[in-house]
Amino acid sequence: MKGRKEVEGFSPWDLDQLQQCFDTVLAARHLAKGSEEAENIASALIIAYQQGVRDRDELVRLAVSAVEK
């Protein structure tokens, strides 16, 4: 994009990994995809991934801890 420093997107592989983590957390906590908690989980996953976390167990742990606060 013109005028923006750097815009980095997710590859299909990245999105698949994030989706798997998201689905894992929602299933474990019996949450609906459209719930506020689900949105918080998705945000936590994206932030952690952007910060370089790639381990699925760690991503799930961070997402769970984000909604437990």
Short mmCIF file of all heavy atoms in Angstrom, two decimals:
data_model
loop_
_atom_site.label_atom_id
_atom_site.label_comp_id
_atom_site.label_asym_id
_atom_site.label_seq_id
_atom_site.Cartn_x
_atom_site.Cartn_y
_atom_site.Cartn_z
N MET A 1 0.84 -1.18 0.00
CA MET A 1 0.00 0.00 0.00
C MET A 1 0.89 1.24 0.00
O MET A 1 1.85 1.31 0.74
CB MET A 1 -0.90 0.03 1.23
CG MET A 1 -1.92 -1.06 1.28
SD MET A 1 -2.90 -0.90 2.79
CE MET A 1 -4.48 -0.78 2.06
N LYS A 2 0.48 2.16 -0.77
CA LYS A 2 1.24 3.40 -0.86
C LYS A 2 1.11 4.19 0.43
O LYS A 2 0.03 4.35 0.97
CB LYS A 2 0.71 4.22 -2.03
CG LYS A 2 1.62 5.31 -2.46
CD LYS A 2 1.08 5.96 -3.72
CE LYS A 2 2.10 6.93 -4.25
NZ LYS A 2 1.69 7.51 -5.51
N GLY A 3 2.25 4.66 0.94
CA GLY A 3 2.25 5.47 2.14
C GLY A 3 2.32 4.67 3.44
O GLY A 3 2.39 5.25 4.51
N ARG A 4 2.30 3.37 3.36
CA ARG A 4 2.40 2.54 4.56
C ARG A 4 3.77 1.91 4.60
O ARG A 4 4.28 1.48 3.58
CB ARG A 4 1.32 1.46 4.56
CG ARG A 4 -0.05 2.13 4.58
CD ARG A 4 -1.12 1.27 5.01
NE ARG A 4 -1.01 0.87 6.39
CZ ARG A 4 -1.90 0.11 6.96
NH1 ARG A 4 -2.90 -0.32 6.27
NH2 ARG A 4 -1.78 -0.26 8.22
N LYS A 5 4.34 1.84 5.77
CA LYS A 5 5.69 1.29 5.90
C LYS A 5 5.75 -0.15 5.42
O LYS A 5 6.33 -0.44 4.41
CB LYS A 5 6.17 1.40 7.34
CG LYS A 5 6.47 2.81 7.74
CD LYS A 5 7.06 2.85 9.12
CE LYS A 5 7.41 4.29 9.45
NZ LYS A 5 8.06 4.40 10.72
N GLU A 6 5.19 -1.06 6.18
CA GLU A 6 5.22 -2.46 5.81
C GLU A 6 3.95 -3.14 6.28
O GLU A 6 3.57 -3.04 7.43
CB GLU A 6 6.43 -3.15 6.46
CG GLU A 6 6.59 -4.57 6.04
CD GLU A 6 7.82 -5.22 6.64
OE1 GLU A 6 8.82 -4.53 6.88
OE2 GLU A 6 7.76 -6.42 6.87
N VAL A 7 3.30 -3.78 5.35
CA VAL A 7 2.10 -4.53 5.69
C VAL A 7 2.44 -6.00 5.45
O VAL A 7 2.79 -6.40 4.36
CB VAL A 7 0.90 -4.11 4.80
CG1 VAL A 7 -0.31 -4.99 5.10
CG2 VAL A 7 0.58 -2.65 5.01
N GLU A 8 2.35 -6.76 6.51
CA GLU A 8 2.68 -8.17 6.41
C GLU A 8 1.43 -8.98 6.63
O GLU A 8 0.75 -8.83 7.63
CB GLU A 8 3.74 -8.54 7.45
CG GLU A 8 4.26 -9.94 7.28
CD GLU A 8 5.38 -10.22 8.26
OE1 GLU A 8 6.22 -9.35 8.47
OE2 GLU A 8 5.39 -11.34 8.79
N GLY A 9 1.13 -9.83 5.67
CA GLY A 9 -0.04 -10.68 5.78
C GLY A 9 0.33 -12.07 6.25
O GLY A 9 1.49 -12.37 6.51
N PHE A 10 -0.67 -12.89 6.36
CA PHE A 10 -0.47 -14.28 6.75
C PHE A 10 -0.54 -15.16 5.52
O PHE A 10 -1.40 -14.96 4.66
CB PHE A 10 -1.54 -14.71 7.74
CG PHE A 10 -1.49 -14.00 9.06
CD1 PHE A 10 -2.49 -13.11 9.42
CD2 PHE A 10 -0.45 -14.22 9.94
CE1 PHE A 10 -2.45 -12.46 10.65
CE2 PHE A 10 -0.40 -13.57 11.17
CZ PHE A 10 -1.41 -12.69 11.51
N SER A 11 0.31 -16.14 5.48
CA SER A 11 0.27 -17.12 4.38
C SER A 11 -0.89 -18.08 4.66
O SER A 11 -1.38 -18.16 5.79
CB SER A 11 1.58 -17.89 4.31
OG SER A 11 1.69 -18.80 5.39
N PRO A 12 -1.30 -18.86 3.66
CA PRO A 12 -2.32 -19.87 3.91
C PRO A 12 -1.91 -20.84 5.02
O PRO A 12 -2.75 -21.25 5.83
CB PRO A 12 -2.45 -20.59 2.56
CG PRO A 12 -2.09 -19.53 1.56
CD PRO A 12 -0.98 -18.75 2.23
N TRP A 13 -0.64 -21.20 5.09
CA TRP A 13 -0.15 -22.09 6.14
C TRP A 13 -0.31 -21.43 7.51
O TRP A 13 -0.74 -22.08 8.47
CB TRP A 13 1.31 -22.46 5.89
CG TRP A 13 1.80 -23.51 6.83
CD1 TRP A 13 1.70 -24.87 6.67
CD2 TRP A 13 2.45 -23.30 8.09
NE1 TRP A 13 2.25 -25.52 7.76
CE2 TRP A 13 2.72 -24.58 8.65
CE3 TRP A 13 2.83 -22.18 8.81
CZ2 TRP A 13 3.35 -24.74 9.88
CZ3 TRP A 13 3.45 -22.36 10.05
CH2 TRP A 13 3.70 -23.63 10.56
N ASP A 14 0.04 -20.15 7.61
CA ASP A 14 -0.11 -19.41 8.87
C ASP A 14 -1.58 -19.41 9.31
O ASP A 14 -1.88 -19.66 10.47
CB ASP A 14 0.34 -17.95 8.72
CG ASP A 14 1.81 -17.78 8.45
OD1 ASP A 14 2.61 -18.63 8.89
OD2 ASP A 14 2.16 -16.77 7.81
N LEU A 15 -2.46 -19.10 8.36
CA LEU A 15 -3.88 -19.05 8.68
C LEU A 15 -4.40 -20.41 9.14
O LEU A 15 -5.21 -20.49 10.07
CB LEU A 15 -4.69 -18.56 7.48
CG LEU A 15 -4.47 -17.09 7.10
CD1 LEU A 15 -5.18 -16.78 5.80
CD2 LEU A 15 -4.91 -16.17 8.22
N ASP A 16 -3.92 -21.47 8.50
CA ASP A 16 -4.32 -22.81 8.90
C ASP A 16 -3.88 -23.11 10.34
O ASP A 16 -4.65 -23.67 11.13
CB ASP A 16 -3.75 -23.84 7.93
CG ASP A 16 -4.23 -25.25 8.26
OD1 ASP A 16 -5.46 -25.47 8.28
OD2 ASP A 16 -3.37 -26.11 8.49
N GLN A 17 -2.66 -22.74 10.67
CA GLN A 17 -2.15 -22.97 12.03
C GLN A 17 -2.97 -22.19 13.05
O GLN A 17 -3.34 -22.72 14.10
CB GLN A 17 -0.68 -22.56 12.12
CG GLN A 17 0.25 -23.40 11.27
CD GLN A 17 0.17 -24.87 11.64
OE1 GLN A 17 0.38 -25.25 12.78
NE2 GLN A 17 -0.15 -25.69 10.66
N LEU A 18 -3.25 -20.94 12.75
CA LEU A 18 -4.05 -20.12 13.66
C LEU A 18 -5.46 -20.68 13.81
O LEU A 18 -6.00 -20.71 14.92
CB LEU A 18 -4.08 -18.67 13.18
CG LEU A 18 -2.77 -17.90 13.32
CD1 LEU A 18 -2.81 -16.62 12.51
CD2 LEU A 18 -2.46 -17.63 14.78
N GLN A 19 -6.05 -21.12 12.70
CA GLN A 19 -7.40 -21.68 12.75
C GLN A 19 -7.44 -22.94 13.60
O GLN A 19 -8.37 -23.14 14.40
CB GLN A 19 -7.90 -21.99 11.33
CG GLN A 19 -9.34 -22.49 11.30
CD GLN A 19 -10.32 -21.40 11.68
OE1 GLN A 19 -10.31 -20.33 11.11
NE2 GLN A 19 -11.18 -21.68 12.66
N GLN A 20 -6.43 -23.79 13.47
CA GLN A 20 -6.38 -25.01 14.26
C GLN A 20 -6.28 -24.69 15.75
O GLN A 20 -6.96 -25.32 16.58
CB GLN A 20 -5.21 -25.88 13.82
CG GLN A 20 -5.44 -26.55 12.48
CD GLN A 20 -4.26 -27.39 12.06
OE1 GLN A 20 -3.56 -27.98 12.89
NE2 GLN A 20 -4.02 -27.47 10.76
N CYS A 21 -5.45 -23.72 16.08
CA CYS A 21 -5.32 -23.31 17.50
C CYS A 21 -6.64 -22.73 18.00
O CYS A 21 -7.09 -23.06 19.11
CB CYS A 21 -4.20 -22.29 17.65
SG CYS A 21 -2.56 -22.95 17.38
N PHE A 22 -7.24 -21.89 17.21
CA PHE A 22 -8.53 -21.27 17.56
C PHE A 22 -9.58 -22.34 17.81
O PHE A 22 -10.27 -22.33 18.84
CB PHE A 22 -8.94 -20.33 16.42
CG PHE A 22 -10.24 -19.61 16.64
CD1 PHE A 22 -10.34 -18.57 17.54
CD2 PHE A 22 -11.37 -19.96 15.91
CE1 PHE A 22 -11.53 -17.89 17.72
CE2 PHE A 22 -12.57 -19.29 16.08
CZ PHE A 22 -12.65 -18.25 16.99
N ASP A 23 -9.70 -23.29 16.89
CA ASP A 23 -10.68 -24.36 17.03
C ASP A 23 -10.41 -25.21 18.27
O ASP A 23 -11.34 -25.63 18.96
CB ASP A 23 -10.70 -25.24 15.77
CG ASP A 23 -11.25 -24.51 14.55
OD1 ASP A 23 -11.93 -23.48 14.71
OD2 ASP A 23 -10.97 -24.97 13.43
N THR A 24 -9.14 -25.46 18.55
CA THR A 24 -8.77 -26.24 19.73
C THR A 24 -9.24 -25.56 21.00
O THR A 24 -9.83 -26.20 21.88
CB THR A 24 -7.24 -26.46 19.77
OG1 THR A 24 -6.85 -27.22 18.63
CG2 THR A 24 -6.79 -27.16 21.04
N VAL A 25 -8.99 -24.28 21.10
CA VAL A 25 -9.37 -23.54 22.32
C VAL A 25 -10.89 -23.47 22.44
O VAL A 25 -11.43 -23.69 23.53
CB VAL A 25 -8.75 -22.12 22.33
CG1 VAL A 25 -9.24 -21.33 23.53
CG2 VAL A 25 -7.24 -22.20 22.33
N LEU A 26 -11.57 -23.17 21.35
CA LEU A 26 -13.03 -23.08 21.42
C LEU A 26 -13.65 -24.42 21.85
O LEU A 26 -14.56 -24.45 22.67
CB LEU A 26 -13.62 -22.65 20.07
CG LEU A 26 -13.34 -21.23 19.63
CD1 LEU A 26 -14.14 -20.91 18.38
CD2 LEU A 26 -13.60 -20.21 20.70
N ALA A 27 -13.16 -25.51 21.28
CA ALA A 27 -13.69 -26.83 21.63
C ALA A 27 -13.43 -27.17 23.09
O ALA A 27 -14.31 -27.67 23.79
CB ALA A 27 -13.09 -27.89 20.72
N ALA A 28 -12.22 -26.89 23.56
CA ALA A 28 -11.86 -27.20 24.94
C ALA A 28 -12.69 -26.40 25.95
O ALA A 28 -13.00 -26.88 27.03
CB ALA A 28 -10.37 -26.95 25.17
N ARG A 29 -13.04 -25.19 25.57
CA ARG A 29 -13.78 -24.31 26.49
C ARG A 29 -15.28 -24.26 26.18
O ARG A 29 -16.02 -23.51 26.80
CB ARG A 29 -13.17 -22.92 26.46
CG ARG A 29 -11.71 -22.95 26.93
CD ARG A 29 -11.09 -21.58 26.99
NE ARG A 29 -11.73 -20.72 27.94
CZ ARG A 29 -11.45 -20.63 29.24
NH1 ARG A 29 -10.52 -21.41 29.75
NH2 ARG A 29 -12.09 -19.79 30.02
N HIS A 30 -15.71 -25.02 25.17
CA HIS A 30 -17.13 -25.08 24.78
C HIS A 30 -17.68 -23.69 24.47
O HIS A 30 -18.72 -23.28 24.99
CB HIS A 30 -17.97 -25.77 25.86
CG HIS A 30 -17.44 -27.11 26.26
ND1 HIS A 30 -17.52 -28.22 25.43
CD2 HIS A 30 -16.80 -27.52 27.37
CE1 HIS A 30 -16.96 -29.24 26.03
NE2 HIS A 30 -16.51 -28.85 27.21
N LEU A 31 -16.95 -22.96 23.61
CA LEU A 31 -17.34 -21.60 23.26
C LEU A 31 -17.86 -21.54 21.83
O LEU A 31 -17.41 -22.26 20.95
CB LEU A 31 -16.14 -20.66 23.38
CG LEU A 31 -15.55 -20.49 24.77
CD1 LEU A 31 -14.24 -19.71 24.69
CD2 LEU A 31 -16.54 -19.78 25.67
N ALA A 32 -18.80 -20.64 21.59
CA ALA A 32 -19.32 -20.39 20.24
C ALA A 32 -18.36 -19.48 19.50
O ALA A 32 -17.73 -18.59 20.10
CB ALA A 32 -20.70 -19.75 20.33
N LYS A 33 -18.27 -19.68 18.18
CA LYS A 33 -17.35 -18.87 17.37
C LYS A 33 -17.67 -17.39 17.40
O LYS A 33 -16.78 -16.57 17.27
CB LYS A 33 -17.34 -19.37 15.93
CG LYS A 33 -16.57 -20.64 15.77
CD LYS A 33 -16.40 -21.01 14.32
CE LYS A 33 -15.56 -22.27 14.23
NZ LYS A 33 -15.28 -22.65 12.86
N GLY A 34 -18.93 -17.03 17.58
CA GLY A 34 -19.30 -15.62 17.57
C GLY A 34 -19.28 -14.94 18.93
O GLY A 34 -19.63 -13.77 19.03
N SER A 35 -18.84 -15.64 19.95
CA SER A 35 -18.86 -15.07 21.30
C SER A 35 -17.75 -14.05 21.50
O SER A 35 -16.77 -14.01 20.77
CB SER A 35 -18.72 -16.18 22.35
OG SER A 35 -17.43 -16.76 22.27
N GLU A 36 -17.92 -13.24 22.52
CA GLU A 36 -16.90 -12.25 22.86
C GLU A 36 -15.59 -12.94 23.25
O GLU A 36 -14.51 -12.48 22.89
CB GLU A 36 -17.38 -11.36 24.01
CG GLU A 36 -16.39 -10.27 24.37
CD GLU A 36 -16.89 -9.36 25.49
OE1 GLU A 36 -18.11 -9.32 25.75
OE2 GLU A 36 -16.04 -8.69 26.09
N GLU A 37 -15.70 -14.04 23.97
CA GLU A 37 -14.50 -14.80 24.36
C GLU A 37 -13.75 -15.30 23.13
O GLU A 37 -12.53 -15.28 23.08
CB GLU A 37 -14.86 -15.98 25.27
CG GLU A 37 -15.37 -15.58 26.62
CD GLU A 37 -16.89 -15.46 26.67
OE1 GLU A 37 -17.54 -15.46 25.60
OE2 GLU A 37 -17.43 -15.36 27.77
N ALA A 38 -14.50 -15.75 22.12
CA ALA A 38 -13.88 -16.23 20.88
C ALA A 38 -13.12 -15.11 20.18
O ALA A 38 -12.03 -15.31 19.65
CB ALA A 38 -14.93 -16.84 19.96
N GLU A 39 -13.70 -13.92 20.19
CA GLU A 39 -13.01 -12.77 19.59
C GLU A 39 -11.73 -12.46 20.35
O GLU A 39 -10.70 -12.14 19.74
CB GLU A 39 -13.94 -11.55 19.56
CG GLU A 39 -15.06 -11.71 18.56
CD GLU A 39 -15.91 -10.45 18.45
OE1 GLU A 39 -15.39 -9.35 18.69
OE2 GLU A 39 -17.09 -10.59 18.10
N ASN A 40 -11.77 -12.54 21.66
CA ASN A 40 -10.57 -12.30 22.47
C ASN A 40 -9.51 -13.36 22.20
O ASN A 40 -8.31 -13.06 22.15
CB ASN A 40 -10.92 -12.27 23.95
CG ASN A 40 -11.76 -11.07 24.32
OD1 ASN A 40 -11.77 -10.07 23.63
ND2 ASN A 40 -12.50 -11.19 25.41
N ILE A 41 -9.94 -14.59 22.03
CA ILE A 41 -9.01 -15.68 21.71
C ILE A 41 -8.36 -15.43 20.36
O ILE A 41 -7.14 -15.56 20.22
CB ILE A 41 -9.74 -17.03 21.75
CG1 ILE A 41 -10.09 -17.39 23.20
CG2 ILE A 41 -8.91 -18.13 21.09
CD1 ILE A 41 -11.11 -18.49 23.33
N ALA A 42 -9.16 -15.08 19.38
CA ALA A 42 -8.62 -14.81 18.05
C ALA A 42 -7.61 -13.68 18.09
O ALA A 42 -6.52 -13.77 17.49
CB ALA A 42 -9.76 -14.48 17.08
N SER A 43 -7.92 -12.62 18.81
CA SER A 43 -6.99 -11.49 18.93
C SER A 43 -5.69 -11.90 19.59
O SER A 43 -4.61 -11.54 19.14
CB SER A 43 -7.63 -10.35 19.74
OG SER A 43 -8.72 -9.81 19.05
N ALA A 44 -5.81 -12.68 20.67
CA ALA A 44 -4.61 -13.14 21.38
C ALA A 44 -3.74 -14.01 20.49
O ALA A 44 -2.51 -13.90 20.50
CB ALA A 44 -5.01 -13.89 22.64
N LEU A 45 -4.37 -14.88 19.70
CA LEU A 45 -3.61 -15.74 18.79
C LEU A 45 -2.87 -14.92 17.74
O LEU A 45 -1.68 -15.15 17.47
CB LEU A 45 -4.54 -16.74 18.10
CG LEU A 45 -5.05 -17.89 18.96
CD1 LEU A 45 -6.17 -18.63 18.24
CD2 LEU A 45 -3.91 -18.84 19.30
N ILE A 46 -3.55 -13.96 17.17
CA ILE A 46 -2.92 -13.13 16.12
C ILE A 46 -1.77 -12.32 16.69
O ILE A 46 -0.69 -12.25 16.10
CB ILE A 46 -3.97 -12.23 15.44
CG1 ILE A 46 -4.91 -13.11 14.60
CG2 ILE A 46 -3.31 -11.16 14.59
CD1 ILE A 46 -6.12 -12.41 14.08
N ILE A 47 -1.97 -11.72 17.85
CA ILE A 47 -0.91 -10.92 18.46
C ILE A 47 0.30 -11.79 18.77
O ILE A 47 1.44 -11.42 18.45
CB ILE A 47 -1.43 -10.21 19.73
CG1 ILE A 47 -2.41 -9.11 19.33
CG2 ILE A 47 -0.27 -9.65 20.55
CD1 ILE A 47 -3.22 -8.55 20.49
N ALA A 48 0.07 -12.95 19.37
CA ALA A 48 1.18 -13.85 19.70
C ALA A 48 1.91 -14.29 18.43
O ALA A 48 3.15 -14.33 18.39
CB ALA A 48 0.68 -15.06 20.48
N TYR A 49 1.15 -14.60 17.39
CA TYR A 49 1.76 -15.05 16.14
C TYR A 49 2.60 -13.92 15.52
O TYR A 49 3.71 -14.15 15.04
CB TYR A 49 0.68 -15.51 15.17
CG TYR A 49 1.16 -16.51 14.16
CD1 TYR A 49 1.26 -17.86 14.48
CD2 TYR A 49 1.52 -16.12 12.88
CE1 TYR A 49 1.70 -18.79 13.57
CE2 TYR A 49 1.97 -17.04 11.95
CZ TYR A 49 2.05 -18.37 12.30
OH TYR A 49 2.50 -19.29 11.38
N GLN A 50 2.08 -12.72 15.54
CA GLN A 50 2.82 -11.57 15.00
C GLN A 50 4.09 -11.30 15.81
O GLN A 50 5.05 -10.76 15.28
CB GLN A 50 1.93 -10.32 14.99
CG GLN A 50 0.87 -10.37 13.93
CD GLN A 50 -0.08 -9.20 14.00
OE1 GLN A 50 -0.38 -8.67 15.07
NE2 GLN A 50 -0.59 -8.79 12.85
N GLN A 51 4.10 -11.69 17.07
CA GLN A 51 5.27 -11.50 17.92
C GLN A 51 6.26 -12.66 17.79
O GLN A 51 7.26 -12.69 18.49
CB GLN A 51 4.85 -11.32 19.37
CG GLN A 51 4.12 -10.01 19.60
CD GLN A 51 3.60 -9.86 21.02
OE1 GLN A 51 3.51 -10.82 21.78
NE2 GLN A 51 3.24 -8.63 21.37
N GLY A 52 5.94 -13.61 16.92
CA GLY A 52 6.89 -14.67 16.62
C GLY A 52 6.62 -16.02 17.26
O GLY A 52 7.39 -16.96 17.07
N VAL A 53 5.54 -16.14 18.02
CA VAL A 53 5.23 -17.44 18.64
C VAL A 53 4.70 -18.36 17.54
O VAL A 53 3.74 -18.02 16.86
CB VAL A 53 4.18 -17.29 19.76
CG1 VAL A 53 3.85 -18.65 20.35
CG2 VAL A 53 4.67 -16.33 20.82
N ARG A 54 5.34 -19.51 17.37
CA ARG A 54 4.93 -20.47 16.35
C ARG A 54 4.57 -21.84 16.92
O ARG A 54 3.94 -22.64 16.25
CB ARG A 54 6.03 -20.66 15.29
CG ARG A 54 6.35 -19.42 14.48
CD ARG A 54 5.16 -19.01 13.63
NE ARG A 54 5.41 -17.87 12.78
CZ ARG A 54 5.21 -16.61 13.10
NH1 ARG A 54 4.78 -16.30 14.31
NH2 ARG A 54 5.46 -15.64 12.25
N ASP A 55 4.93 -22.09 18.16
CA ASP A 55 4.61 -23.36 18.80
C ASP A 55 3.12 -23.40 19.10
O ASP A 55 2.58 -22.52 19.78
CB ASP A 55 5.42 -23.51 20.08
CG ASP A 55 5.13 -24.80 20.79
OD1 ASP A 55 5.63 -25.85 20.32
OD2 ASP A 55 4.38 -24.78 21.79
N ARG A 56 2.43 -24.43 18.58
CA ARG A 56 0.98 -24.51 18.73
C ARG A 56 0.56 -24.60 20.19
O ARG A 56 -0.42 -23.96 20.59
CB ARG A 56 0.43 -25.69 17.94
CG ARG A 56 0.49 -25.43 16.44
CD ARG A 56 -0.17 -26.52 15.64
NE ARG A 56 -1.59 -26.53 15.97
CZ ARG A 56 -2.36 -27.59 15.83
NH1 ARG A 56 -1.87 -28.71 15.39
NH2 ARG A 56 -3.63 -27.54 16.13
N ASP A 57 1.26 -25.38 20.98
CA ASP A 57 0.91 -25.48 22.41
C ASP A 57 1.04 -24.14 23.11
O ASP A 57 0.20 -23.78 23.95
CB ASP A 57 1.78 -26.53 23.11
CG ASP A 57 1.49 -27.95 22.64
OD1 ASP A 57 0.37 -28.21 22.16
OD2 ASP A 57 2.39 -28.79 22.75
N GLU A 58 2.06 -23.41 22.77
CA GLU A 58 2.27 -22.09 23.38
C GLU A 58 1.20 -21.11 22.91
O GLU A 58 0.68 -20.30 23.69
CB GLU A 58 3.67 -21.56 23.05
CG GLU A 58 3.99 -20.22 23.68
CD GLU A 58 4.10 -20.27 25.20
OE1 GLU A 58 4.05 -21.35 25.82
OE2 GLU A 58 4.24 -19.18 25.80
N LEU A 59 0.84 -21.16 21.64
CA LEU A 59 -0.23 -20.30 21.13
C LEU A 59 -1.54 -20.57 21.86
O LEU A 59 -2.23 -19.64 22.28
CB LEU A 59 -0.41 -20.49 19.62
CG LEU A 59 0.66 -19.89 18.73
CD1 LEU A 59 0.55 -20.43 17.31
CD2 LEU A 59 0.55 -18.36 18.72
N VAL A 60 -1.86 -21.84 22.03
CA VAL A 60 -3.09 -22.22 22.73
C VAL A 60 -3.03 -21.74 24.18
O VAL A 60 -3.99 -21.17 24.70
CB VAL A 60 -3.32 -23.74 22.64
CG1 VAL A 60 -4.40 -24.19 23.60
CG2 VAL A 60 -3.66 -24.15 21.21
N ARG A 61 -1.89 -21.95 24.83
CA ARG A 61 -1.75 -21.52 26.23
C ARG A 61 -1.94 -20.01 26.36
O ARG A 61 -2.65 -19.54 27.25
CB ARG A 61 -0.36 -21.91 26.76
CG ARG A 61 -0.19 -21.64 28.25
CD ARG A 61 1.24 -21.79 28.70
NE ARG A 61 2.11 -20.75 28.19
CZ ARG A 61 2.13 -19.47 28.60
NH1 ARG A 61 1.31 -19.08 29.54
NH2 ARG A 61 2.97 -18.61 28.08
N LEU A 62 -1.34 -19.24 25.47
CA LEU A 62 -1.46 -17.79 25.52
C LEU A 62 -2.91 -17.34 25.25
O LEU A 62 -3.41 -16.40 25.88
CB LEU A 62 -0.51 -17.14 24.51
CG LEU A 62 0.97 -17.25 24.85
CD1 LEU A 62 1.82 -16.82 23.66
CD2 LEU A 62 1.30 -16.42 26.09
N ALA A 63 -3.57 -18.01 24.32
CA ALA A 63 -4.96 -17.66 24.00
C ALA A 63 -5.87 -17.94 25.19
O ALA A 63 -6.74 -17.14 25.51
CB ALA A 63 -5.42 -18.42 22.77
N VAL A 64 -5.66 -19.07 25.84
CA VAL A 64 -6.46 -19.42 27.01
C VAL A 64 -6.22 -18.42 28.14
O VAL A 64 -7.16 -17.95 28.78
CB VAL A 64 -6.17 -20.87 27.48
CG1 VAL A 64 -6.75 -21.13 28.85
CG2 VAL A 64 -6.70 -21.87 26.46
N SER A 65 -4.97 -18.07 28.35
CA SER A 65 -4.67 -17.13 29.43
C SER A 65 -5.25 -15.75 29.15
O SER A 65 -5.60 -15.03 30.08
CB SER A 65 -3.17 -17.05 29.68
OG SER A 65 -2.50 -16.42 28.62
N ALA A 66 -5.41 -15.39 27.89
CA ALA A 66 -5.99 -14.09 27.53
C ALA A 66 -7.45 -13.99 27.95
O ALA A 66 -7.91 -12.92 28.32
CB ALA A 66 -5.84 -13.83 26.04
N VAL A 67 -8.18 -15.10 27.88
CA VAL A 67 -9.60 -15.05 28.26
C VAL A 67 -9.82 -15.34 29.73
O VAL A 67 -10.90 -15.09 30.24
CB VAL A 67 -10.46 -16.01 27.40
CG1 VAL A 67 -10.47 -15.57 25.96
CG2 VAL A 67 -10.03 -17.44 27.55
N GLU A 68 -8.81 -15.82 30.42
CA GLU A 68 -8.95 -16.09 31.84
C GLU A 68 -8.66 -14.86 32.70
O GLU A 68 -8.91 -14.88 33.89
CB GLU A 68 -8.02 -17.25 32.25
CG GLU A 68 -8.48 -18.57 31.71
CD GLU A 68 -7.57 -19.73 32.08
OE1 GLU A 68 -6.42 -19.49 32.49
OE2 GLU A 68 -8.01 -20.87 31.93
N LYS A 69 -8.15 -13.82 32.11
CA LYS A 69 -7.81 -12.62 32.87
C LYS A 69 -9.04 -11.83 33.25
O LYS A 69 -10.05 -11.83 32.68
CB LYS A 69 -6.86 -11.72 32.06
CG LYS A 69 -5.51 -12.34 31.93
CD LYS A 69 -4.59 -11.43 31.16
CE LYS A 69 -3.22 -12.05 31.05
NZ LYS A 69 -2.30 -11.29 30.29
#
